[in-house]
Amino acid sequence: MTDRAFIQLQQQIQSNDGRGLRSVFEQGNRYCVRTLIKKTNCSLADAEDIFMDAILIFRENMLNGKLKQLSNTKTYLFGICWNLWRDLNYARGRWKREQNEVQRQLYLAIEPETKGLSSMEVEELKAEAEKQLHLVQKALNMLNESCQQLLKLVYLEKRKYAEVAEIMGFASANVVKVSKYRCHKKWLTEIEKTGNDHV
Amino acid sequence: MFEEKIQDYIEDRLVGSEKETFEKRLEQEQELRAGYLQELARHTALIAQQRAKDKEALKKVLGQSDLTAQMRTIRLITHISAIAAGILMLFLIGYLLIPKQQSPAQFAMNYFEPYPLSNIRGESTDQQEVMDKALVPYQQGNFGEALPYLRQLQQANPTNSQFKLNLASGLMAEGQPEEAIALLKTISGQSADAAEWYLALAYLQDGQVDVAKGILQEIGGKSHFRKKQAMELREEL
């Protein structure tokens, strides 16, 4: 991919222009799904699902600056698919097959974090994360718009503080850091409140 | 103050010596580790929720894939074959379920579940490749095929408890408890609980019922993630 094409794709993804991801999808879909089935003997449904997850990770990597250049979209996407397939299999080895999409995403989010944790800690982490599943999003929605946007940019899109400062109009990266800490505190309070309401 | 550090670590914002120092503290300080796990749980839960939502939206935007009809036919044939194999399996299970006197090894295998393979993403590429080669046969239950790779990993990392557990589990699945016992006895630290459970099963598989009972008794008497199963198995024995 030429530098120009890469910058155009980056801009499309950053501005939520659907054409960007559609072109990535079309370039990688058939190759990734076929190769996954061939290499891992997984089902077609699994391969398609993993490919869709890979598109999400591709988008995240583009937004958080991990992806700085791209020589071959297909092979880059397949690398993500391969890691996802592996993580999902390790997770299914521990906990059997997932029950729904959120649980699948939870498996995929937990698995890369298990390095260095004991079996008991991994179980605790999963149990705690499952307990928090319905609380975290509700609590986030209770925050003011600015806090919501700040935490989403930092936690979900993993943007650099300097970039967040630019997007949200903060004076510096340090201001972002302090504001994020305050919003995080509010978020924790809301999680606790939401949790108590459920009890 | 350490709450901020935990967040920075989870968000991958610590680098160099700062990251190393934090990781050392994480290993040594129980309170910090507990706080880290709780924060990590919140983060992963939020990421999972958001990704599930984003995926649904993405599916709407991108639509279904246009894979060839040939692939869909292959899928149909695979499903039919799976159903046929399932029916055969049911007959086989029915036959196997006819009550028989169970040997200690059978008791052990009733409770045995292969230890989940360790995800070693981020380790050296060579080791990752070896683990990948072990993963498919291991998940499919072809432990004999996975064993050489598991042995290779364990020998390259003789002190790594996870690799010891993986190899021991593969050996037990292949009916080789003696070597598994020797390995499991050397495991300490964070994997000691899992090793203790597998050691009890390995002794049982090896016919050393009294030793197995002793270990099960110990597991049943403390806070252990297999406490319930250990007590049940001891009762059955």
Side-chain angles (χ1 to χ4, degrees):
Chain A
M1 180 181 271
T2 62
D3 287 353
R4 211 176 138 192
F6 180 78
I7 290 168
Q8 190 190 3
L9 178 63
Q10 198 175 32
Q11 283 168 348
Q12 283 173 329
I13 290 176
Q14 278 170 349
S15 61
N16 251 335
D17 179 345
R19 283 175 301 176
L21 280 187
R22 172 160 287 285
S23 89
V24 173
F25 177 86
E26 277 163 7
Q27 284 179 64
N29 181 25
R30 191 166 299 207
Y31 170 77
C32 289
V33 171
R34 277 170 182 257
T35 315
L36 258 183
I37 293 173
K38 203 169 135 194
K39 280 201 166 190
T40 68
N41 207 17
C42 69
S43 70
L44 175 60
D46 259 352
E48 285 183 321
D49 229 5
I50 286 171
F51 178 67
M52 209 54 111
D53 291 325
I55 295 278
L56 281 179
I57 305 284
F58 182 95
R59 179 175 161 268
E60 280 175 23
N61 289 352
M62 196 63 125
L63 291 175
N64 64 27
K66 256 192 199 170
L67 183 55
K68 290 186 176 74
Q69 57 182 35
L70 195 58
S71 52
N72 188 327
T73 311
K74 275 197 310 194
T75 48
Y76 180 75
L77 274 173
F78 184 73
I80 301 177
C81 286
W82 181 252
N83 282 338
L84 287 172
W85 172 81
R86 191 165 43 195
D87 286 348
L88 199 60
N89 268 276
Y90 282 118
R92 284 173 178 171
R94 285 180 210 279
W95 302 308
K96 313 295 175 210
R97 212 180 163 91
E98 64 279 3
Q99 300 294 309
N100 52 43
E101 187 55 43
V102 179
Q103 196 175 37
R104 173 195 176 83
Q105 296 303 334
L106 191 67
Y107 281 8
L108 288 174
I110 287 179
E111 199 51 40
E113 310 290 347
T114 57
K115 205 179 131 192
L117 300 184
S118 69
S119 310
M120 210 181 224
E121 285 173 328
V122 174
E123 291 306 319
E124 277 171 17
L125 174 63
K126 184 199 167 225
E128 183 63 24
E130 279 181 336
K131 204 171 88 184
Q132 300 279 350
L133 264 178
H134 63 284
L135 303 177
V136 286
Q137 189 72 51
K138 262 190 193 169
L140 190 69
N141 294 341
M142 301 300 286
L143 303 180
N144 62 42
E145 236 171 75
S146 159
C147 266
Q148 279 189 43
Q149 192 190 359
L150 177 57
L151 292 184
K152 278 182 184 171
L153 288 170
V154 173
Y155 294 157
L156 302 170
E157 296 184 5
K158 296 193 173 67
R159 306 251 194 164
K160 294 190 178 87
Y161 288 152
E163 208 184 327
V164 178
E166 202 177 304
I167 296 170
M168 295 190 65
F170 285 110
S172 70
N174 262 343
V175 179
V176 174
K177 194 177 175 183
V178 174
S179 306
K180 185 211 79 175
Y181 189 66
R182 284 192 195 130
C183 290
H184 182 85
K185 278 262 179 212
K186 285 183 196 163
W187 183 48
L188 291 189
T189 313
E190 287 299 335
I191 289 176
E192 207 171 312
K193 257 205 278 183
T194 317
N196 289 340
D197 289 348
H198 273 268
V199 177
Chain B
M1 185 62 193
F2 70 59
E3 286 166 10
E4 252 180 288
K5 278 270 182 281
I6 288 175
Q7 287 175 39
D8 287 344
Y9 181 68
I10 290 174
E11 291 157 27
D12 209 15
R13 292 181 205 276
L14 295 183
V15 285
S17 62
E18 208 181 2
K19 188 174 178 178
E20 276 172 30
T21 312
F22 185 79
E23 282 177 343
K24 267 190 198 147
R25 282 185 61 197
L26 255 188
E27 274 175 26
Q28 291 158 356
E29 297 172 32
Q30 282 299 316
E31 199 187 342
L32 181 69
R33 200 170 175 87
Y36 161 70
L37 282 176
Q38 203 163 30
E39 188 61 35
L40 188 59
R42 281 191 285 263
H43 261 78
T44 47
L46 185 65
I47 287 171
Q49 282 280 11
Q50 189 64 35
R51 282 199 186 147
K53 252 204 272 175
D54 288 350
K55 192 170 170 183
E56 208 182 307
L58 195 66
K59 274 183 178 168
K60 276 184 196 153
V61 175
L62 299 176
Q64 290 302 309
S65 74
D66 58 346
L67 283 166
T68 59
Q70 188 193 1
M71 284 175 84
R72 298 211 175 268
T73 314
I74 292 169
R75 186 170 60 155
L76 187 66
I77 293 169
T78 316
H79 280 176
I80 293 168
S81 316
I83 291 167
I87 292 168
L88 265 175
M89 201 65 161
L90 277 178
F91 278 113
L92 190 65
I93 289 168
Y95 170 76
L96 290 174
L97 282 180
I98 295 169
K100 298 179 196 110
Q101 185 72 31
Q102 286 197 338
S103 69
Q106 283 167 327
F107 270 117
M109 293 324 274
N110 289 347
Y111 280 82
F112 174 77
E113 278 174 20
Y115 186 76
L117 287 191
S118 328
N119 194 339
I120 54 169
R121 260 175 81 174
E123 298 285 345
S124 80
T125 320
D126 289 350
Q127 291 194 6
Q128 204 172 294
E129 274 174 19
V130 178
M131 189 53 111
D132 286 349
K133 283 180 187 162
L135 179 63
V136 177
Y138 194 90
Q139 305 286 50
Q140 291 172 346
N142 299 326
F143 300 101
E145 207 183 306
L147 269 181
Y149 302 118
L150 297 178
R151 199 181 294 281
Q152 194 181 330
L153 282 170
Q154 196 274 320
Q155 282 167 355
N157 306 272
T159 54
N160 186 307
S161 303
Q162 295 293 309
F163 291 150
K164 282 184 192 174
L165 271 165
N166 290 150
L167 177 58
S169 166
L171 287 164
M172 288 170 71
E174 278 295 285
Q176 299 171 37
E178 276 175 46
E179 199 185 337
I181 290 170
L183 269 172
L184 291 165
K185 278 160 90 174
T186 64
I187 295 175
S188 57
Q190 285 174 1
S191 304
D193 272 5
E196 200 179 17
W197 166 247
Y198 281 95
L199 189 60
L201 296 183
Y203 273 122
L204 201 54
Q205 195 182 14
D206 198 38
Q208 301 186 54
V209 181
D210 288 338
V211 188
K213 274 184 177 174
I215 299 173
L216 291 171
Q217 176 83 35
E218 266 181 48
I219 294 175
K222 60 183 177 187
S223 159
H224 190 287
F225 76 117
R226 293 286 186 185
K227 180 177 177 152
K228 197 173 152 225
Q229 289 101 319
M231 285 162 77
E232 274 172 16
L233 177 55
R234 199 178 182 285
E235 187 84 358
E236 285 177 27
L237 288 172

